[in-house]
Amino acid sequence: MTSRPLSVVVVSAGVSTPSSTRLLAERIGHSVGDRLRVRDVAVDLRFIDVREIGLDVTSAIVNAGRRSAALEGANAAIAGADAVIAVTPVFAGSYSGLFKSFFDVLDPEVLRGTPVLIAATGGSERHSLVLDHAMRPLFAYFGALVLPTGVFAATSDFGAVATSGDGLSDRIDRAADELSAALAPGGPAATKSETSAGRVARRAADDLSAAESMEAVGTLPDFGSLLPLRR
């Protein structure tokens, strides 16, 4: 196996116990882990239940983004992750407020360049568009590499036997294949190209360079004075 286990962080925003959202998160996470091990790639699978740190999330929102030790730990785990699996229940046609708030209070650069597998649970199949209309734009905003296949599970999917080629197990397998292929040695996302701290430092350097460029522009001659007078 590889010398350094790949870190896959699974974020689950289910709010009940037991939770179908957590169940889906576990199925996807273990499916990815199994595929990586078959490829002789060691994997460190970590689960973050947002419900357990919900009060920390709320506190950070109303206290100018100051994160508790638990939130700092979650931020560090995602910053160091080679991939993230993000799973939310659907409330009012979109991701849950708790799910969105969790990502709102993390470092805004923490997901940049990170492969993200998106998944959601809802009462019926009509909520499946949440994957493409809400979750995909959200993680694209954060600069993540969102995988082509998302996984949606309706209540009827749990315990159902797939009779076509598009049952829940098939969707999980397809998404897990994509993520494991991306993370395997030689894959397009084998490792994150930069650490979170490195990205922040690079952004600061870019800002400084831009400021210096603006100063240089200010020293340019007045080209208007070189033009002929208009009659």
Side-chain angles (χ1 to χ4, degrees), residues 23-79:
L23 176 60
L24 178 62
E26 290 177 352
R27 289 182 62 176
I28 297 173
H30 291 307
S31 183
V32 171
D34 290 343
R35 280 161 171 73
L36 286 171
R37 295 184 190 98
V38 167
R39 293 171 178 268
D40 204 32
V41 177
V43 59
D44 178 17
L45 200 62
R46 173 174 177 178
F47 289 85
I48 296 177
D49 282 304
V50 183
R51 180 180 64 88
E52 296 179 355
I53 54 175
L55 292 178
D56 301 80
V57 171
T58 303
S59 178
I61 290 173
V62 300
N63 287 285
R66 288 194 293 273
R67 294 189 290 261
S68 66
L71 270 180
E72 285 292 358
N75 188 82
I78 293 177

Side-chain angles (χ1 to χ4, degrees), residues 3-231:
S3 57
R4 181 186 73 84
L6 294 181
S7 173
V8 177
V9 175
V10 186
V11 178
S12 170
V15 295
S16 60
T17 305
S19 166
S20 60
T21 302
R22 168 72 190 209
L23 176 60
L24 178 62
E26 290 177 352
R27 289 182 62 176
I28 297 173
H30 291 307
S31 183
V32 171
D34 290 343
R35 280 161 171 73
L36 286 171
R37 295 184 190 98
V38 167
R39 293 171 178 268
D40 204 32
V41 177
V43 59
D44 178 17
L45 200 62
R46 173 174 177 178
F47 289 85
I48 296 177
D49 282 304
V50 183
R51 180 180 64 88
E52 296 179 355
I53 54 175
L55 292 178
D56 301 80
V57 171
T58 303
S59 178
I61 290 173
V62 300
N63 287 285
R66 288 194 293 273
R67 294 189 290 261
S68 66
L71 270 180
E72 285 292 358
N75 188 82
I78 293 177
D82 294 287
V84 171
I85 299 169
V87 192
T88 179
V90 176
F91 291 156
S94 187
Y95 38 65
S96 72
L98 181 61
F99 177 84
K100 177 61 161 59
S101 296
F102 171 72
F103 288 101
D104 283 345
V105 298
L106 300 182
D107 187 306
E109 292 287 312
V110 77
L111 283 166
R112 187 166 299 279
T114 304
V116 174
L117 191 165
I118 55 174
T121 59
S124 67
E125 293 82 355
R126 67 190 179 92
H127 295 299
S128 61
L129 289 176
V130 69
L131 294 172
D132 292 325
H133 287 216
M135 297 185 74
R136 197 172 295 278
L138 171 66
F139 289 106
Y141 170 82
F142 284 116
L145 305 176
V146 188
L147 293 181
T149 299
V151 180
F152 180 82
T155 301
S156 58
D157 282 317
F158 292 97
V161 178
T163 55
S164 64
D166 197 34
L168 178 58
S169 294
D170 298 293
R171 299 194 295 275
I172 291 174
D173 289 345
R174 185 163 61 249
D177 282 339
E178 290 177 0
L179 183 54
S180 59
L183 291 174
T191 56
K192 293 174 70 172
S193 59
E194 296 180 277
T195 64
S196 178
R199 289 194 300 273
V200 172
R202 179 174 57 81
R203 184 176 59 178
D206 290 344
D207 290 343
L208 179 59
S209 177
E212 292 173 343
S213 297
M214 290 299 294
E215 290 180 1
V217 169
T219 63
L220 292 175
D222 181 6
F223 290 105
S225 64
L226 304 178
L227 298 175
L229 295 175
R230 298 181 62 182
R231 294 180 181 273

